[in-house]
Amino acid sequence: MIDATAVIADTPQGLWIDGAAVDATDGYRYPVLDPATGDTLTTVADARAIDAMRAIESADRVQRPWAVTAPRERSQILRRAWELVTERAEDLALLMTAEMGRALPDSRAEVAYGAEFLRWFSEEAVRVQGRYTPAPAGNGRILVTKAPVGPVLAITPWNFPLAMGTRKIGPALAAGCTVIVKPAAETPLTMLALARIFAEAGLPAGVLSVLPTSDAASISTPLFADPRLRKLTFTGSTRVGRILLARAASGVLRTSMELGGNAPFLVFDDADLDAAINGAMAAKMRNGGQACTAANRFLVADAVLEEFTARLTERMAALTVGAGHRTGVAVGPLVSAAQLDRVAGLVDEAVAAGARIRTGGKPLPGPGFFYPPTVLDQIPVRARILDQEIFGPVAVVTGFGDEAEAIDRANASEYGLAAYLYTRDLGRALRVTDALETGMVAVNRGVLSDVAAPFGGVKASGLGHEGGVEGIDEYLDSKYVALTN
Ligand code: ADP
């Protein structure tokens, strides 16, 4: 067992405003819980509307100076932040496991992934380009320049406490925007640690604020009503995303929305089953299943259904469950009692409707919010577990007859984030990829996130992209300048 007490004690526990940790104006604090025990780890300052106003005032005050800071200087700050995150990787991993529970190897992987957005966007900061064209009528010239959209509100989830922040903060700072982050209530410490790293990296005070709060709407509602805010970037559930999009409409804000997923994982009868099983484990169990790209529905050709299910069951049943800081643990607790109830409820409902449990299927005794790796098959067609994002270590396996059925079933969802497919037939891989209604498709691999790729969904899974060369565009407006000859 590795002890995170010293790292927690060393982490800022106030609101981060104007380059320092400060108390909430009203003095509120709320507890951060340890999902492995349900005990309080520490308390952090709890922001309200008045604190949101402090943050937007700072963001607005420094927006212009930050926008005209040399791109190379912005780039250098991001680069130093990447170096510091990399140097402190182990402490950040311990912190994330402490506040969100998941196994330490997953936290270490997140630090590496999350840090890369800082390095990538330090490189992109100096590559923002406009364009120049002669007007077709020959009577003028068209110049297009790029300008930062202005102060950004970034609302992040608990499942990747660092990477979901760096994926927004990196491009926003590179583009010249100021940022107010509202981290998930469950995981404020990681974002506060990152804010301090940015200050050490030389980020001017006020450019980045962090507002932990137990009352998200008390922050977002006044910010949406404030004309100084120009952009919302959100990662979270489609349910909350819809509410926030509607609120963002009144200020006509630019929005980037990374919402829920219901990824199909297709295994065709010609697939390399060894590779498919390894990919299935990665796509399902990364982060204990708590990822919006997690394989949510395994759709397997009838000819290989039983072999696939049996082998997946064996691998899932062999995983060690326990407190995330314990050596050898592969699956930590879920983040909260509410998540545990939700996952257990989905499984119970499916089983009551006729699904078969191959392994797992019942919450583990407390304390802590533990659910075992679970495999279900013989799923009734109408089961809610096929429509909902499971967000836990539960694999749901169903069979299909032919390619057309596989595609229809894969697309039978309001979501369209990620899809996975396993086949040795290149023609089929390309055909199915074209037919899948998702923003991302992984072919013969179980992990698709990459800093250099545009992460994003279609349908109810969201708007816009994070990462890649596309990522910075979300924080830039085009300005057309008409020039005469
Ligand atoms: P998850 O299922 O990942 O917790 P949610 O959509 O519930 O996803 O939450 C994602 C983020 O959105 C969290 O930071 C949460 O606090 C925040 N959030 C939820 N409701 C609101 C709201 N009304 N205003 C602003 N943020 C909100």
Side-chain angles (χ1 to χ4, degrees):
M1 188 79 158
I2 305 172
D3 187 12
T5 318
V7 181
I8 293 167
D10 183 47
T11 302
Q13 303 184 6
L15 313 177
W16 193 269
I17 299 178
D18 266 330
V22 296
D23 289 336
T25 306
D26 295 331
Y28 298 135
R29 301 189 72 79
Y30 76 90
V32 180
L33 303 186
D34 176 356
T37 59
D39 296 341
T40 298
L41 285 172
T42 186
T43 65
V44 295
D46 191 355
R48 291 292 182 275
I50 190 165
D51 304 302
M53 289 301 107
R54 286 161 76 189
I56 189 71
E57 264 155 41
S58 302
D60 181 56
R61 193 179 65 243
V62 298
Q63 175 55 58
R64 182 79 195 136
W66 180 242
V68 299
T69 298
R72 177 57 72 199
E73 197 175 327
R74 295 202 303 266
S75 166
Q76 280 297 104
I77 292 169
L78 283 161
R79 173 84 190 188
R80 278 198 292 273
W82 170 72
E83 285 164 1
L84 289 169
V85 168
T86 306
E87 264 169 37
R88 294 180 201 165
E90 190 61 13
D91 282 357
L92 287 165
L94 287 173
L95 201 54
M96 282 196 277
T97 287
E99 60 182 352
M100 64 84 71
R102 60 125 109 93
L104 207 41
D106 275 329
S107 290
R108 292 184 180 124
E110 184 185 344
V111 180
Y113 172 60
E116 278 308 312
F117 288 100
L118 304 176
R119 178 157 66 164
W120 177 264
F121 286 108
S122 82
E123 293 156 349
E124 291 297 282
V126 292
R127 312 229 189 290
V128 173
Q129 293 173 0
R131 67 189 168 91
Y132 168 82
T133 7
N139 60 351
R141 296 149 199 267
I142 293 164
L143 180 66
V144 181
T145 63
K146 300 282 177 176
V149 300
V152 173
L153 172 61
I155 299 181
T156 58
W158 49 262
N159 63 333
F160 291 98
L162 181 74
M164 297 303 102
T166 56
R167 213 155 83 159
K168 301 177 187 313
I169 298 166
L173 298 185
C177 297
T178 57
V179 189
I180 300 169
V181 183
K182 193 216 80 62
E186 295 85 345
T187 55
L189 297 171
T190 307
M191 197 56 69
L192 290 165
L194 182 67
R196 185 171 61 188
I197 282 175
F198 267 113
E200 288 176 45
L203 189 70
V207 175
L208 173 66
S209 308
V210 178
L211 300 177
T213 179
S214 63
D215 182 355
S218 76
I219 298 297
S220 59
T221 305
L223 286 175
F224 286 138
D226 193 305
R228 291 172 292 189
L229 186 73
R230 292 312 316 140
K231 164 143 186 134
L232 165 68
T233 173
F234 172 77
T235 299
S237 63
T238 296
R239 183 186 67 79
V240 173
R242 286 191 167 109
I243 296 169
L244 298 184
L245 264 180
R247 300 248 171 88
S250 65
V252 195
L253 298 183
R254 283 280 296 272
T255 55
S256 304
M257 311 298 284
E258 297 291 350
L259 308 178
N262 183 2
F265 187 106
L266 304 171
V267 182
F268 289 93
D269 54 9
D270 63 350
D272 173 343
L273 269 198
D274 293 340
I277 292 290
N278 287 335
M281 291 302 291
K284 179 75 253 178
M285 295 308 291
R286 177 168 174 243
N287 224 23
Q290 302 173 113
C292 50
T293 52
N296 216 51
R297 297 170 289 153
F298 288 91
L299 303 175
V300 183
D302 287 335
V304 291
L305 177 61
E306 180 47 37
E307 186 184 352
F308 177 89
T309 312
R311 291 178 64 182
L312 183 67
T313 301
E314 196 183 321
R315 290 280 294 275
M316 291 284 275
L319 295 172
T320 307
V321 183
H325 288 117
R326 275 208 357 241
T327 314
V329 163
V331 185
L334 298 183
V335 72
S336 62
Q339 283 298 322
L340 181 64
D341 288 349
R342 219 183 42 77
V343 172
L346 280 173
V347 172
D348 290 350
E349 199 180 306
V351 171
R356 175 170 66 167
I357 299 173
R358 301 286 293 249
T359 184
K362 281 272 162 264
L364 299 171
F369 315 127
F370 293 96
Y371 201 87
T374 294
V375 177
L376 301 182
D377 67 358
Q378 298 181 357
I379 315 293
V381 183
R382 303 244 162 272
R384 213 159 57 91
I385 203 162
L386 295 174
D387 297 331
Q388 304 265 317
E389 195 167 26
I390 300 170
F391 242 65
V394 179
V396 175
V397 190
T398 65
F400 66 79
D402 60 11
E403 190 179 303
E405 186 192 346
I407 292 168
D408 283 351
R409 298 251 311 276
N411 287 338
S413 169
E414 69 162 333
Y415 296 109
L417 189 60
Y420 302 82
L421 69 95
Y422 276 77
T423 175
R424 286 188 171 105
D425 177 341
L426 179 61
R428 170 180 273 165
L430 295 175
R431 235 177 10 250
V432 175
T433 295
D434 282 351
L436 287 170
E437 298 167 354
T438 60
M440 300 178 282
V441 181
V443 179
N444 292 328
R445 52 183 295 172
V447 175
L448 47 63
S449 297
D450 191 305
V451 65
F455 186 105
V458 297
K459 295 161 78 176
S461 290
L463 299 168
H465 294 98
E466 294 190 317
V469 291
E470 292 84 352
I472 198 165
D473 289 341
E474 304 278 329
Y475 298 88
L476 292 167
D477 281 327
S478 291
K479 180 178 283 178
Y480 155 48
V481 186
L483 299 170
T484 72
N485 280 330

